[in-house]
Structure formats: structure tokens, C-alpha cells
Amino acid sequence: RDAVKYLASWSPLTMHKLEGKLSRFPDTSRNGVIVDPEFFAQERDGILNAHTVEYSGDFFADLICLYRKCPVARLYHSRDPENCSYTDMTVDSKNCYLSFVPVRSENVLYSFNIKDSKDIISSVSVRD
């Protein structure tokens, strides 16, 4: 139980509907511009160089201003996952749906924090 709580603290386990798409961020003025994961992956290197903030003397106010200008990915995907549009924190996986943190996995439905696994349905913290 403690291990699951620890793993759950790594990322939010809540999805928000944003313009008909799922997002890890709610639609509030506190967030920056929310973009698709594909756009974010293509533009990642240029994002930081494109936005500057004039120093006002209040570091935290300047940081908040910069955060609101920079785009954030509505879901986090890494290493081109395949058919994983409704997953978050996905790395090098295929055919995943409504899953959090699938890493090098295939055919995963309704799971949380699986790694190096195949054909998993409705599970929590399946590892290797």
C-alpha cells in the first residue's frame, strides 16, 4: 500500500476534459498555454528561447509570468508512443488507453504505473 501511495505521488491521477481532449491540467488561468503532446515534442527546444520576461524585481511574479507564457503538453508522451492518445506519462508504449505511466508496455487498459508488461487490464502498479 505504501509503495502505491509513493508511486501515485509522482503524477496526478486525474484527467480533465479540455476542448474534447483529455488533459492532465485543468482549464484555469494558472496554467500556461496547453498544447497537444505532438506539438510540444516538436517545439520543445525552441519554447524556452522564444519567451522572455522583463525583470521586475519580484522573482516569483516573474516566474509566474514566464510559466503562463510557455506552452505545456496536455499529456506527457515520450519516445513516440503508438495509439496512446488517452494516456499520461507514457514512454515507448503501444495500444494503451486511460493509463498512467505505462513504460515499454503493450495492450494496456485502465492501469496505473505499469512497466515492461503486455496485455494488462484494470491493474495497479504492475512492474516487469
Side-chain angles (χ1 to χ4, degrees):
R1 183 177 181 168
D2 290 338
V4 171
K5 285 182 184 179
Y6 174 72
L7 294 171
S9 70
W10 290 359
S11 68
L13 297 179
T14 305
M15 295 285 203
H16 304 275
K17 198 168 190 178
L18 182 64
E19 298 174 4
K21 299 177 181 178
L22 293 181
S23 173
R24 65 193 317 211
F25 300 102
D27 187 18
T28 68
S29 62
R30 295 183 332 177
N31 294 322
V33 179
I34 300 172
V35 298
D36 287 334
E38 299 80 16
F39 174 82
F40 186 79
Q42 291 171 356
E43 301 296 324
R44 179 182 337 227
D45 294 335
I47 287 173
L48 292 177
N49 296 331
H51 300 286
T52 59
V53 174
E54 294 297 324
Y55 181 65
S56 69
D58 184 347
F59 172 77
F60 292 107
D62 294 341
L63 184 63
I64 289 169
C65 181
L66 182 61
Y67 180 75
R68 287 184 181 154
K69 286 182 177 182
C70 290
V72 293
R74 63 180 177 81
L75 299 170
Y76 177 76
H77 292 160
S78 179
R79 292 191 221 139
D80 299 323
E82 182 181 319
N83 195 21
C84 295
S85 298
Y86 300 100
T87 62
D88 189 30
M89 303 296 290
T90 307
V91 177
D92 199 23
S93 296
K94 294 180 183 178
N95 304 324
C96 300
Y97 180 72
L98 292 180
S99 299
F100 295 88
V101 201
V103 177
R104 294 181 302 276
S105 301
E106 286 186 44
N107 306 327
V108 176
L109 304 174
Y110 316 112
S111 296
F112 164 70
N113 198 46
I114 60 158
K115 179 182 173 192
D116 297 324
S117 300
K118 290 185 179 184
D119 305 325
I120 306 294
I121 298 175
S122 190
S123 298
V124 175
S125 195
V126 176
R127 310 281 286 186
D128 301 329

